[in-house]
Amino acid sequence: GLNANPTLNIANKVYVMDKYTVKAGFGEVAQKSFYSEAETVNFGENDAAAKKINGWVEQKTNDKIKDLISSDCLGQDTRMVLVNAIHFKGTWKHQFEKQRTIPMPFWISATESIEVPTMNIKKHFNYGVFEELNASALELTYSDGDLSMLILLPNERDGLPQLEEKLQSINIADLTSKMYSQEVEVALPKFKIEFDVDLKETLEKLGMGTMFTDKADFSELLEQPDPLYVSKVVHKAFIEVNEEGTEAAAATGMMIMAMCYMEPIRFIADHPFYFALYDKKQNVFAFNGRIYRPTL
């Protein structure tokens, strides 16, 4: 397999309507925080403008995110589009052997299952049992060691909604400090997810609703005096987990000895679970999601 270091690419760009100029102050901010100069585009020619923006996003996300902006979001009244794209590709430290990937049942409810290609491995991983969450946790490390995927598996087949409710009141990063390296038999379905979110509603709930109305004040953005407001904020993400990877405390010798006589620890992700990409160095979660029905 590949032994490439994980890459997390974050790309940002500002597009401005033709014949409009960005104020010098915002231009500097854009260059600093968006690492890009504003590029002018005629939003009135909405198909061509959408094609240009989407082409840039595709290129920056390794062709994984397509059609971020639909042409009917753009028009003669559009003054500015801010784009942010993230692409992550990581190789597992311990890769799953392809020949051990077999169809196994995945329970989409307490009583109904579907067959999905499931990867299998037996190695030392950071593992923990959290009774207060009624769940167990497994950390799969990527090849450079700082980035990992944390998987939280409810004990019950249909326990994910309750688990997510409990997660709201805890700091997930704290869980990783209570996990220890142990030999674990792991079964994990291959999965791919892609989701679109229109963030307008979320931002309105956070009290940022005025930016969507004519009361918004963006007078510092453009030289021209047009009143501006934000019409839409679109977010699209893609993640793929397969045998090679994704697009802690070492156990003591004595503990390993003792474990030879114990039942092997099994982490069988055969029902809905929660996952998060975790950066140990920065102590941040770059990405999280839930799998209710694995799709490829």
Side-chain angles (χ1 to χ4, degrees), residues 27-276:
E28 282 164 32
V29 170
Q31 242 177 315
K32 272 203 193 83
S33 48
F34 281 82
Y35 310 112
S36 80
E37 295 190 19
E39 188 175 324
T40 56
V41 62
N42 181 359
F43 295 122
E45 294 172 6
N46 56 352
D47 287 338
K51 202 171 168 187
K52 182 176 195 172
I53 295 171
N54 290 334
W56 180 85
V57 172
E58 262 182 58
Q59 180 212 329
K60 292 293 180 190
T61 61
N62 205 11
D63 295 337
K64 292 292 187 252
I65 294 183
K66 300 180 191 299
D67 308 321
L68 176 73
I69 303 256
S70 72
S71 56
D72 49 17
C73 293
L74 305 173
Q76 211 55 53
D77 297 333
T78 309
R79 293 291 170 263
M80 186 181 279
V81 172
L82 306 170
V83 183
N84 163 268
I86 295 181
H87 174 247
F88 172 80
K89 184 170 174 51
T91 309
W92 299 124
K93 184 176 171 186
H94 300 303
Q95 294 190 15
F96 292 81
E97 291 172 20
K98 283 204 165 107
Q99 62 269 30
R100 294 193 61 198
T101 296
I102 51 170
M104 285 172 69
F106 184 93
W107 296 88
I108 52 177
S109 72
T111 53
E112 190 192 348
S113 70
I114 54 173
E115 291 250 300
V116 297
T118 304
M119 313 183 291
N120 289 274
I121 194 169
K122 186 178 178 182
K123 287 268 188 225
H124 275 80
F125 294 107
N126 275 352
Y127 170 84
V129 173
F130 296 96
E131 281 172 21
E132 69 278 19
L133 295 176
N134 197 17
S136 56
L138 181 79
E139 186 179 4
L140 296 174
T141 312
Y142 291 101
S143 53
D144 87 332
D146 281 337
L147 286 165
S148 62
M149 179 176 278
L150 184 68
I151 299 173
L152 296 178
L153 181 68
N155 295 341
E156 311 293 330
R157 280 178 185 166
D158 52 2
L160 185 57
Q162 292 89 319
L163 171 62
E164 291 202 276
E165 213 165 285
K166 289 174 183 163
L167 289 179
Q168 289 175 7
S169 55
I170 65 158
N171 179 359
I172 300 175
D174 291 345
L175 297 179
T176 56
S177 61
K178 299 174 187 154
M179 294 166 66
Y180 298 95
S181 176
Q182 302 175 46
E183 190 174 49
V184 188
E185 276 181 32
V186 177
L188 180 69
K190 291 171 70 156
F191 63 86
K192 225 184 243 189
I193 52 174
E194 184 171 14
F195 49 91
D196 292 312
V197 193
D198 185 341
L199 294 175
K200 183 171 172 178
E201 206 174 293
T202 314
L203 294 170
E204 281 172 349
K205 278 189 188 138
L206 293 172
M208 293 164 75
T210 52
M211 69 188 215
F212 296 100
T213 68
D214 52 14
K215 294 187 180 65
D217 181 11
F218 290 110
S219 53
E220 293 308 306
L221 294 187
L222 297 176
E223 291 287 5
Q224 289 75 7
D226 299 26
L228 300 173
Y229 69 96
V230 174
S231 56
K232 202 175 176 69
V233 180
V234 184
H235 174 75
K236 192 166 187 172
F238 172 95
I239 188 164
E240 177 175 4
V241 170
N242 61 23
E243 290 88 352
E244 283 97 38
T246 305
E247 257 201 13
T252 60
M254 210 170 80
M255 187 169 162
I256 292 168
M257 276 297 298
M259 288 183 62
C260 298
Y261 307 107
M262 287 163 64
E263 276 284 292
I265 295 168
R266 303 180 76 216
F267 187 91
I268 311 298
D270 66 353
H271 53 278
F273 58 87
Y274 170 94
F275 71 89

